[in-house]
Amino acid sequence: MSDQGNNTKLRDDQAQLKQEMLIFERGSSGRVGCTFPRLDVPEVNPVEAWGEDAVRGEIAGFPEVSEVDVVRHFTRISQHNFGIESGLFPLGSCTMKYNPKVHERVVRSPGFASAHPYMPSALMQGSLDVMRRLEEALAAVTGMDRVTLQPAAGAQGELTGIMMIAAYHAARGDTQRRKVLIPDSAHGTNPATAAFCGFDPVEIPSNSRGTTDIEALRAKADDTTAALMLTNPNTLGLFEDQMEEIAEIMHGCGAQIYCDGANLNAILGKTRPGDIGIDVFHINLHKTFTTPHGGGGPGGGPVGVCEHLIPFLPRPTVETDAETGTAYLDWDRPDSIGKVQGFYGNFAIMVRAYTYIRALGAVGLRQVAEDAVLNANYIQTRLKEHYHLPQDRLCMHEVVFSDKCQKKDDVTAMDVCKRLMDYGYHPPTVYFPLVVSGALMIEPTESVSREDLDAFIAAMVAIAEEAESDPAKVRGAPHSTFVARLDEARAARKPILRWDPELCEE
Ligand SMILES: *Cc1c(COP(=O)(O)O)cnc(C)c1O
């Protein structure tokens, strides 16, 4: 992937880099960064209490630093990064929206923050009520009959959904269904999920309009088909407008329709998956509902299902006692696929998503979709003179360009992305979807002002001009970041996430 060979290419000022990175070595024996409260229990001699073997005299290479050393270290490395609070983050398909601060205030309320998952239901009525209300709100937004909040990510939502579909077919004795049909524009998690559940993923081509080729779908759909995994709007940023035919074909052969709902932001309050023939639908709380992304941290991938799949939902579900109105956890669900997460899923993420929904209300959520789609179309219209647009028609919440025009100067989509970093932007998604060669997938979201959009467009136009006038500059980008181009495959496959004294000595 990288043209830099195997090594991370550091800037010339390596000495400075080392100084910055070697903060841990700058410590000095006996320096401390915290003060413990006075002991309020009897003091124990650890060696006497647990024996010599259980107690370590010294932790090898452990840095001894002051509070200010630590704060400066982390602040400095945070400045080498780019986050949603640094600026426009147009990473297509990822819906990098601003995460409102009010969520943090609500989730820190003592009733939520100090709740323990082992508390009996009677003592966690407030928390269960939030889960119950969030489920209701998500069901209302998507038109699905019930929603499980357990999965912690979109990919886990897919897994949960396909497991439910497998259980549904199994319960009907329909065990010859081994195929899952997946359009070629799908996110890689879709075929991975199908294969992980023991199905054979079968690729369905897109037509010249960038949507599912209906005749190809019809040809592949039969009584060995378990499901179609569709993304709508799809990853070309286009709405799959032949849902009626798709539903007829799939349900006609006894298969289920799974919809990857990562792109729900485009259709909030406009159309509902449950109304257009979809049986299972996942929602990314960390995309559409502004809970934080990334860092491998907690996410949320709730899954909505139609009535006939309710028995297979993960357990426990949150139910309401008809007489008293109290909420309780129902474990007595014999057909459930089981539990897919520890406890009940990422509860604090649910509180944030619910806060977002209540803060905006139905009208606000609809405006989210309208503004997100308007912003993407504004970018599409302004940039299509400068970048090749494979599907030249109104888009949804994201627009996919290609590097076809820049290729004549030997400048690639990756080069454009790297150069964009010099202009102070996070790059868009690159080389995805796979159906577009040299793809640049831009999703501005609604949380961006007109001024910010104009500045981003100006940067993209400037790069298109540079690709002609000074292509070497674009190919050599980024020029202003802390490190130059990385070996991206190695960075993703073998990340160094832990400080290691030996690495620093190199
Ligand atoms: C983000 C995304 C996923 C996976 O969601 P995660 O929460 O990252 O696991 C699946 N499909 C599409 C289209 C996506 O954009």
Side-chain angles (χ1 to χ4, degrees), residues 93 153-155 158 187 189-190 231 235 260 262-263 282 284 286-287:
S93 208
E158 291 174 34
H187 195 266
T189 48
N190 292 189
T231 306
T235 60
D260 177 328
N263 296 336
H282 91 247
N284 295 64
H286 44 287
K287 293 181 180 172

Side-chain angles (χ1 to χ4, degrees), residues 425-501:
Y425 293 100
H426 192 285
T429 294
V430 65
Y431 301 135
F432 178 78
L434 303 175
V435 285
V436 171
S437 161
L440 282 160
M441 184 196 218
I442 300 175
E443 179 180 11
T445 83
E446 72 284 1
S447 44
V448 56
S449 67
R450 168 75 189 270
E451 293 79 2
D452 287 344
L453 283 174
D454 285 338
F456 172 75
I457 288 163
M460 287 292 288
V461 171
I463 295 167
E465 283 163 2
E466 284 175 346
E468 291 183 20
S469 62
D470 191 359
K473 188 174 198 176
V474 183
R475 285 197 292 268
H479 303 283
S480 61
T481 50
F482 187 61
V483 290
R485 289 197 193 194
L486 302 175
D487 176 343
E488 308 209 349
R490 191 165 150 230
R493 301 256 157 79
K494 296 188 176 162
I496 302 168
L497 301 173
R498 220 157 48 86
W499 175 73
D500 179 343

Side-chain angles (χ1 to χ4, degrees), residues 26 64 76 127 455:
R26 283 204 235 149
E64 294 180 62
R76 189 159 42 229
S127 299

Side-chain angles (χ1 to χ4, degrees), residues 197-276:
C197 292
F199 291 109
D200 303 322
V202 176
E203 189 172 286
I204 303 296
S206 303
N207 59 29
S208 58
R209 295 174 64 245
T211 53
T212 304
D213 182 332
I214 294 293
E215 289 321 310
L217 184 70
R218 203 188 300 279
K220 292 278 179 286
D222 57 27
D223 65 1
T224 66
T225 308
L228 165 71
M229 285 184 94
L230 187 76
T231 306
N232 201 6
N234 69 23
T235 60
L236 281 156
L238 303 172
F239 190 75
E240 293 280 351
D241 52 5
Q242 293 168 288
M243 285 310 296
E244 221 168 306
E245 289 97 315
I246 291 175
E248 214 178 271
I249 295 168
M250 298 317 298
H251 292 148
C253 75
Q256 296 284 289
I257 304 180
Y258 181 94
C259 183
D260 177 328
N263 296 336
L264 176 62
N265 210 46
I267 56 170
L268 280 176
K270 291 289 178 183
T271 188
R272 306 193 312 165
D275 298 339
I276 54 175

Side-chain angles (χ1 to χ4, degrees), residues 55-127:
V55 181
R56 198 149 52 168
E58 192 188 321
I59 305 173
F62 194 73
E64 294 180 62
V65 290
S66 69
E67 179 174 322
V68 65
D69 288 337
V70 172
V71 169
R72 286 185 179 155
H73 171 69
F74 284 109
T75 302
R76 189 159 42 229
I77 57 178
S78 79
Q79 288 164 348
H80 299 157
N81 202 354
F82 189 97
I84 191 66
E85 284 161 19
S86 315
L88 182 60
F89 202 131
L91 195 64
S93 208
C94 294
T95 314
M96 303 302 287
K97 310 206 223 189
Y98 174 66
N99 308 149
K101 295 298 164 237
V102 63
H103 302 5
E104 304 308 312
R105 216 171 104 191
V106 173
V107 79
R108 276 166 179 69
S109 321
F112 296 133
S114 27
H116 192 283
Y118 279 137
M119 273 177 2
S121 291
L123 294 182
M124 54 174 183
Q125 285 295 306
S127 299

